[in-house]
Amino acid sequence: MKRSSIIYTILCLLALSIVSCDKSDDPDDNDPDMVLIATAMTDAQTFQVALYANDTLFEGYNKLYISIKEASSTDQVTDAAIVLKPLMDMIDMVHAAPVENPAGVANEEGLFEAAVVFIMPSTDMMGWTLDVQVETADKDETAVFEIPLVRSLEESRKFNVISPLDETKYFVSLVEPMAAEVGINDCEFTVHYKESMMSFPPAEDLTIEIEPEMPSMDHGSPNNEHPVHTADGHYEGKVNFTMTGWWRIHMVIKKNGDVLTDDAYIDITLE
Amino acid sequence: MKNSGWIIILFCNLTLTQAQDLFTEFDTIRLEEFTITQRIPLNDQSVLDLSRSSRFSSIDKINGRLEGISLIKRGAYALEPQMDGFSGGQINVTVDGMRMFGACTDRMDPVTSYIEPDNLESFNITHGTSGSRNGNTVGGSFDMILREPVIGQTEGMLVETGLGYESVSNGINANGALEVNREKWAFRTSGTYRNHNSYRGGDGIKVPYSYFKKINLHSVVKYDLGKNNTLRFDFLLDDAVDVGYPALPMDVGKAKARMYAVEIERLDAYRTVSQLKAKLYFNSVYHLMDDSNRDSTFRLTDENGAPSDTVYMRMDMPGWSDTFGFFMEGGASLGEKSHIYVKLDDYLNYSRAYMTMFMNYPEYPGEPPMYTETWPDVFRNVAGIFIRNTTRVSNSVNVNLEGRLDMSQTRVTSETGHRQFAIFGYDIDRGYFELPKSLNLSANFRTNGVTRLDAGAGYAERLPTTSEQFGFFLYNALDGFDYLGNPEIGLERSTHFWGNLHFTWPELKVSIRNRFSYVSDYIIGLIDPEIPQMNLYASGVKRYDNIPAALLYGTSLQLQWDPGAYLTFYTLLRYTYGRTGEGDPLPLIPPLRNTSICKFRKGIFSVQMEGEFSSDQNRINSGFGENPTPAFAIYHLRNSFHWLVKETVIEVGAGIENIFDKAYSEHLDWGNFLRPGRSIYLNLRVII
């Protein structure tokens, strides 16, 4: 009995190691939903940083997956404080964008999960850069990415609101990927506001009302749930689609009962 | 008279009803002409014989004349039968006992639309809860018996062909039949072709989209297996194309039905056990709605508000309904005074319908199509047992007790369907199990050969239809609402009482019928203001629900008088009343109606004058889009000649329907579009 259980354990371990050997370290080899955006070395050449996303980057809320490897050993770094600094150089001015920095630990795949809300698309003349500061127990280095492209979407996933109360500019984004389908869908929005050119903290004290509509059919859907704030400027609700096609989610955004906007919307097309 | 008698012998089709057990009496209506013997009380057969306009009568024309049956009309074709105010899933429409369901989510294809009278031998009609032989029902049953050839006796062959014309729709009807009878086998095939343009209303204006075209073919082979066993195969095909529906925002591009059946029958195998029958069947219906001829429905307007030509929406709405089933039945005598009949049956229906909307809105170019599942892959299996016991209490009294229990399981298999209904708070990822049942007790009393009284009471439950349970935003053109199914809907239950009184004298027959139903958990659409409509032209959403109560009452007086050998007078007066428990009128209840016929027949010639009279209907439910309907009177004149030339029968019929070109519509006609105006018809029929 004992011998057989030992053999069994060894076999299991072997099998496990084969599986893990099979698995490539590059996420996009395993996950077809993952796109490699760019790679860069940190300034002291200690770390190789790779940037992945679910899709090529676009104007709006982009989830980012950061892989950090030690350049010498190609070992995956899974424990580091990471700070993202997106930057748009518009010749006459420079501004940042809302970010969600990763927690100090990587996920099961060894990737640090972060997000950036690109508040404008890149153009031929001007583009985004992204500084990724990696701070481990003994190192503090920064990798600088030239973001190749931030697309402007035909169906926008983000809109701006300028508060009629105090002229504060808010950025409302749909958290992607949403994978909308006919039926009940979780929908999540983020709202950030512009404190300064370089600071975009989350707006956590808003109320959001949604109403989906099919613009060309002049009808909506019932039993939607207005998004409510969860944490860090994220608002979660439910939106229902009774058929495929082009839907528009109308949104009313209020702060302390005062309407910031009542004619904003985000379009979603279900194929 | 001689000729009609000759036709009876020719077809030898009377055997079935006459062989039927003495105790069991259905309202059986035979389509072949025969003379009612003086001892039989007045029944629907009399109406049929008298009011059959021609050999080419559509099944709708026949149904509309029957006692207790009205028709819901949406177009020139495919009228939906209604019995005493019950329709749709409240009544059982079957073909030779076989279950069949239309594939249209908007009830544009009642099962009757797939059958032609030429294929039919008779109808078995039972009203109210007592119609549960082929399935539990609250409103009644309507079984269409397919025609079959006769084996043996006289070997022969029969060819029949006919051609007819109707002026009002410039319509052609043609049919043909071939029957071969041999000692061991028999074969019959019959086909009908109809091609009608839009007809003209009584106001002289064409009723748009009232055209239709169809072919229908029925073939049957019977083979004698010996020892009173017969094997029978049936095949039925019905294809209709370009069927217009004036009352609806769309037409039907194609409606296609196929039916296959194999049956073994064993007659009088033993003395105590009789009429054993087993049948296996499959039928498949495909129905495609089409709005490509309806440009006007969705015209855009230009800056001045004038219509521009751009249509901005097209709909594609296919539907399928496949039914696979079997039944076994048999009767046995229990002693001298009692008879038992048992039927076991099972059917599996698979219904699905989808809707895709294609937009062409100049403001929003390139919009992707919108897709939704209006019947999201609904499977329903129903197994049932029906038992009837008939006891002869005395020579003048029969008592009949019958009961049925069904076991029904319904399941939606489409993922999209599950998600669609989740929006409304339903988790439909489970089977829906029901046990509908019924029990009926009736008796008939005969006295002195003149008076007969039938009376009974019953209780029955019925299943909700696919649309009532799982329909997803089905547009109803009558009230302008989208209808949403209710997965949790309960069975509809009816308590039914009836009493019919018949007087039969040699020259005069009178029948008075009364039927009363108290329906609880009545299924009806109720406005749900919380839900936005989905179709462009809908004004809101109704959700199917059970309301506590509804009352329906139907009564009729029938009278036939035969003074002398040449003359017959016939009249049918009928009235239906329906209201909810709260006193609101039920929608689509026909008003007081009368059909009167005077027929003169001598030798080869017959002529008849008919009048149809309807009172106005002001007891309406405007919540269901009903308008008051004015009273009307219309008249028809029919003539026919029969010749027998050697072995060949030649029949010529000619007449005028709606002689005075009255512009009218019946209360059950959706949208009040006009019925046909004056129409001259001409028929020729040859039997060799």
Side-chain angles (χ1 to χ4, degrees):
Chain A
M1 277 300 282
K2 264 187 182 171
R3 187 176 289 174
S4 66
S5 64
I6 289 163
I7 291 168
Y8 178 75
T9 314
I10 290 167
L11 279 173
C12 279
L13 285 170
L14 269 172
L16 271 175
S17 64
I18 289 163
V19 168
S20 48
C21 285
D22 257 349
K23 199 169 165 185
S24 159
D25 288 338
D26 299 326
D28 62 339
D29 289 353
N30 299 318
D31 190 345
D33 293 333
M34 212 66 109
V35 176
L36 176 65
I37 303 296
T39 53
M41 296 297 287
T42 52
D43 38 14
Q45 309 291 317
T46 312
F47 302 112
Q48 189 184 12
V49 183
L51 206 57
Y52 295 91
N54 297 105
D55 197 351
T56 55
L57 302 180
F58 56 89
E59 183 189 0
Y61 183 94
N62 290 260
K63 211 145 188 185
L64 298 177
Y65 304 88
I66 301 161
S67 152
I68 300 170
K69 287 175 186 169
E70 287 184 20
S72 51
S73 62
T74 69
D75 280 354
Q76 197 89 24
V77 175
T78 54
D79 209 340
I82 293 167
V83 177
L84 306 185
K85 283 180 197 141
L87 215 62
M88 167 60 97
D89 189 347
M90 297 179 72
I91 305 159
D92 54 338
M93 60 168 178
V94 174
H95 66 79
V99 293
E100 291 175 356
N101 287 315
V105 233
N107 67 13
E108 285 174 3
E109 274 103 44
L111 300 172
F112 293 90
E113 291 180 24
V116 174
V117 178
F118 291 107
I119 56 177
M120 60 184 290
S122 57
T123 66
D124 293 344
M125 303 296 291
M126 28 186 221
W128 286 91
T129 57
L130 180 67
D131 292 0
V132 178
Q133 185 192 345
V134 182
E135 192 183 341
T136 58
D138 50 354
K139 296 275 189 318
D140 184 354
E141 297 180 18
T142 300
V144 179
F145 289 90
E146 293 283 338
I147 300 295
L149 173 71
V150 172
R151 287 177 292 144
S152 166
L153 295 179
E154 205 173 304
E155 201 166 63
S156 182
R157 291 291 186 257
K158 175 207 136 259
F159 59 86
N160 306 341
V161 178
I162 294 172
S163 163
L165 309 171
D166 56 8
E167 310 249 298
T168 306
K169 195 169 186 181
Y170 291 87
F171 302 91
V172 183
S173 308
L174 180 71
V175 172
E176 287 279 316
M178 186 178 164
E181 56 182 9
V182 169
I184 302 176
N185 293 270
D186 291 325
C187 69
E188 189 177 351
F189 297 92
T190 59
V191 189
H192 296 85
Y193 66 99
K194 184 171 145 192
E195 199 178 49
S196 70
M197 292 302 270
M198 303 309 280
S199 171
F200 295 81
E204 304 186 328
D205 54 352
L206 306 178
T207 52
I208 300 180
E209 291 165 15
I210 54 166
E211 197 185 335
E213 185 208 5
M214 297 204 93
S216 61
M217 292 284 285
D218 200 23
H219 74 69
S221 73
N223 303 332
N224 300 283
E225 285 176 23
H226 295 315
V228 291
H229 186 253
T230 51
D232 304 325
H234 281 244
Y235 294 79
E236 288 179 30
K238 283 190 173 23
V239 61
N240 300 328
F241 301 123
T242 48
M243 58 172 85
T244 67
W246 168 38
W247 287 85
R248 175 165 283 177
I249 305 177
H250 292 280
M251 298 174 73
V252 176
I253 301 176
K254 292 179 188 166
K255 184 176 180 175
N256 303 325
D258 295 315
V259 175
L260 301 186
T261 181
D262 58 4
D263 64 351
Y265 58 80
I266 272 180
D267 283 350
I268 292 177
T269 296
L270 281 67
E271 297 292 341
Chain B
M1 288 300 278
K2 266 186 185 171
N3 283 335
S4 59
W6 192 86
I7 288 166
I8 301 167
I9 297 159
L10 193 70
F11 287 98
C12 291
N13 278 336
L14 291 169
T15 42
L16 209 126
T17 7
Q18 287 179 346
Q20 219 147 33
D21 194 272
L22 272 176
F23 301 113
T24 60
E25 287 197 43
F26 306 109
D27 249 347
T28 301
I29 300 135
R30 309 187 55 76
L31 290 165
E32 267 313 302
E33 189 171 350
F34 77 102
T35 318
I36 300 153
T37 66
Q38 292 178 339
R39 283 178 292 113
I40 297 177
L42 195 54
N43 60 21
D44 285 331
Q45 183 62 46
S46 343
V47 196
L48 188 69
D49 288 344
L50 284 160
S51 63
R52 230 167 20 131
S53 65
S54 74
R55 286 291 307 167
F56 296 98
S57 278
S58 67
I59 193 157
D60 296 332
K61 265 185 185 163
I62 293 171
N63 292 348
R65 308 279 179 126
L66 301 175
E67 195 271 332
I69 293 187
S70 304
L71 295 169
I72 299 170
K73 186 173 161 109
R74 301 176 179 93
Y77 166 69
L79 278 62
E80 186 189 348
Q82 190 208 52
M83 302 173 78
D84 294 323
F86 291 103
S87 65
Q90 295 172 313
I91 60 174
N92 259 350
V93 182
T94 48
V95 183
D96 259 349
M98 297 181 279
R99 302 305 299 255
M100 186 173 178
F101 299 89
C104 177
T105 52
D106 296 340
R107 283 157 69 169
M108 287 151 93
D109 68 334
V111 173
T112 47
S113 70
Y114 295 113
I115 305 292
E116 278 289 330
D118 224 37
N119 310 330
L120 286 184
E121 190 158 294
S122 61
F123 299 122
N124 275 346
I125 296 176
T126 29
H127 293 276
T129 55
S130 59
S132 63
R133 185 164 85 128
N134 297 320
N136 276 317
T137 176
V138 297
S141 73
F142 190 90
D143 192 20
M144 295 176 279
I145 308 297
L146 290 172
R147 219 156 127 170
E148 56 178 342
V150 182
I151 298 178
Q153 288 146 359
T154 50
E155 291 207 350
M157 194 168 97
L158 183 106
V159 181
E160 183 187 327
T161 171
L163 192 67
Y165 174 77
E166 285 173 41
S167 70
V168 75
S169 56
N170 201 14
I172 298 285
N173 301 311
N175 62 16
L178 169 72
E179 184 168 328
V180 182
N181 314 90
R182 292 286 178 270
E183 198 189 333
K184 295 295 282 180
W185 59 273
F187 170 76
R188 181 185 163 87
T189 186
S190 57
T192 302
Y193 169 76
R194 297 179 189 274
N195 187 348
H196 289 249
N197 296 321
S198 288
Y199 64 74
R200 198 179 43 77
D203 57 359
I205 297 167
K206 264 200 177 159
V207 174
Y209 315 111
S210 60
Y211 44 76
F212 71 95
K213 243 184 270 181
K214 77 172 287 188
I215 56 164
N216 181 291
L217 185 77
H218 174 228
S219 296
V220 49
V221 185
K222 280 178 79 176
Y223 183 74
D224 184 359
L225 297 170
K227 294 180 181 167
N228 291 323
N229 291 319
T230 330
L231 184 67
R232 169 179 167 178
F233 295 97
D234 277 90
F235 169 69
L236 188 141
L237 167 158
D238 188 283
D239 279 356
V241 289
D242 299 330
V243 183
Y245 287 81
L248 304 179
M250 44 175 43
D251 305 314
V252 168
K254 194 180 264 184
K256 201 171 128 175
R258 300 285 181 275
M259 180 190 288
Y260 312 86
V262 54
E263 175 190 292
I264 291 187
E265 191 175 18
R266 186 180 179 113
L267 283 169
D268 302 317
Y270 310 98
R271 291 205 167 188
T272 44
V273 180
S274 60
Q275 289 187 349
L276 286 171
K277 192 195 264 189
K279 196 168 195 130
L280 189 69
Y281 63 91
F282 173 72
N283 59 65
S284 171
V285 179
Y286 169 64
H287 189 266
L288 180 69
M289 284 186 250
D290 172 21
D291 62 351
S292 57
N293 293 321
R294 299 300 189 96
D295 299 36
S296 57
T297 318
F298 298 112
R299 265 172 209 274
L300 288 181
T301 48
D302 61 17
E303 310 88 61
N304 306 321
S308 65
D309 266 345
T310 319
V311 177
Y312 66 88
M313 188 172 76
R314 283 257 180 270
M315 276 198 193
D316 188 13
M317 296 181 72
W320 296 263
S321 169
D322 297 331
T323 310
F324 181 74
F326 82 94
F327 63 80
M328 288 188 294
E329 61 181 9
S333 300
L334 306 174
E336 274 192 10
K337 295 198 165 179
S338 196
H339 182 264
I340 190 163
Y341 165 87
V342 180
K343 183 175 181 194
L344 289 170
D345 49 42
D346 187 287
Y347 73 85
L348 175 70
N349 175 260
Y350 174 34
S351 291
R352 65 270 186 217
Y354 313 124
M355 173 165 77
T356 312
M357 287 173 276
F358 300 93
M359 303 302 280
N360 178 22
Y361 214 147
E363 244 180 273
Y364 313 118
E367 195 186 336
M370 287 164 261
Y371 169 84
T372 195
E373 301 191 351
T374 44
W375 277 350
D377 296 7
V378 185
F379 282 88
R380 172 173 283 174
N381 185 274
V382 181
I385 178 165
F386 172 81
I387 300 174
R388 170 169 52 215
N389 180 274
T390 311
T391 305
R392 192 191 306 178
V393 179
S394 73
N395 278 342
S396 56
V397 181
N398 283 336
V399 175
N400 203 49
L401 178 68
E402 60 189 40
R404 184 180 180 91
L405 180 68
D406 280 338
M407 198 173 75
S408 156
Q409 185 110 30
T410 311
R411 190 178 277 279
V412 172
T413 57
S414 157
E415 268 299 315
T416 305
H418 291 178
R419 292 198 302 265
Q420 284 177 180
F421 275 94
I423 294 172
F424 300 94
Y426 300 110
D427 176 13
I428 60 167
D429 187 16
R430 64 178 177 94
Y432 287 80
F433 183 77
E434 297 285 1
L435 280 173
K437 49 202 168 291
S438 69
L439 192 67
N440 286 281
L441 178 67
S442 64
N444 59 62
F445 312 88
R446 294 161 207 261
T447 56
N448 57 44
V450 171
T451 314
R452 197 181 111 180
L453 173 70
D454 307 324
Y459 170 82
E461 300 167 341
R462 69 120 176 154
L463 291 166
T465 61
T466 303
S467 292
E468 286 161 351
Q469 196 167 17
F470 296 112
F472 198 70
F473 289 95
L474 306 177
Y475 177 68
N476 178 316
L478 182 64
D479 59 13
F481 278 81
D482 276 340
Y483 276 68
L484 184 66
N486 177 353
E488 308 294 337
I489 201 158
L491 300 174
E492 188 173 276
R493 302 151 207 280
S494 173
T495 310
H496 180 66
F497 301 94
W498 71 98
N500 305 327
L501 195 56
H502 309 274
F503 301 98
T504 313
W505 293 281
E507 284 185 359
L508 181 67
K509 296 174 182 184
V510 181
S511 286
I512 300 159
R513 291 179 167 88
N514 288 285
R515 292 183 283 267
F516 173 80
S517 297
Y518 177 83
V519 185
S520 46
D521 296 327
Y522 188 83
I523 297 176
I524 200 166
L526 300 177
I527 295 175
D528 190 335
E530 300 291 307
I531 305 175
Q533 78 281 5
M534 196 159 83
N535 286 301
L536 262 177
Y537 25 69
S539 49
V541 169
K542 284 186 183 175
R543 209 197 274 240
Y544 281 108
D545 216 334
N546 301 98
I547 59 167
L551 287 98
L552 289 114
Y553 171 68
T555 183
S556 72
L557 170 73
Q558 257 178 310
L559 189 147
Q560 185 177 330
W561 180 39
D562 299 273
Y566 306 124
L567 264 180
T568 299
F569 293 102
Y570 168 82
T571 190
L572 165 65
L573 187 69
R574 64 187 191 200
Y575 178 71
T576 313
Y577 175 85
R579 67 170 179 89
T580 66
E582 290 173 344
D584 298 323
L586 285 177
L588 292 175
I589 297 295
L592 182 69
R593 210 176 180 293
N594 173 260
T595 308
S596 292
I597 296 166
C598 171
K599 183 169 188 169
F600 173 81
R601 182 161 37 182
K602 191 172 185 209
I604 62 163
F605 173 70
S606 83
V607 57
Q608 78 182 51
M609 219 25 233
E610 292 176 24
E612 288 184 59
F613 312 97
S614 173
S615 76
D616 52 351
Q617 179 58 292
N618 296 311
R619 283 197 82 253
I620 54 159
N621 192 322
S622 52
F624 285 82
E626 282 195 299
N627 299 314
T629 309
F632 65 83
I634 52 168
Y635 301 89
H636 316 298
L637 175 70
R638 309 185 193 285
N639 305 289
S640 74
F641 302 86
H642 290 255
W643 290 281
L644 181 58
V645 184
K646 290 187 179 172
E647 299 265 291
T648 305
V649 179
I650 300 169
E651 190 183 302
V652 175
I656 310 172
E657 292 183 329
N658 194 358
I659 297 168
F660 301 109
D661 211 10
K662 173 82 181 164
Y664 75 106
S665 60
E666 300 226 16
H667 185 63
L668 267 53
D669 299 351
W670 281 25
N672 304 334
F673 67 92
L674 292 182
R675 290 244 170 177
R678 183 189 301 125
S679 180
I680 297 166
Y681 71 84
L682 193 66
N683 305 314
L684 174 70
R685 182 177 171 230
V686 180
I687 307 168
I688 304 161

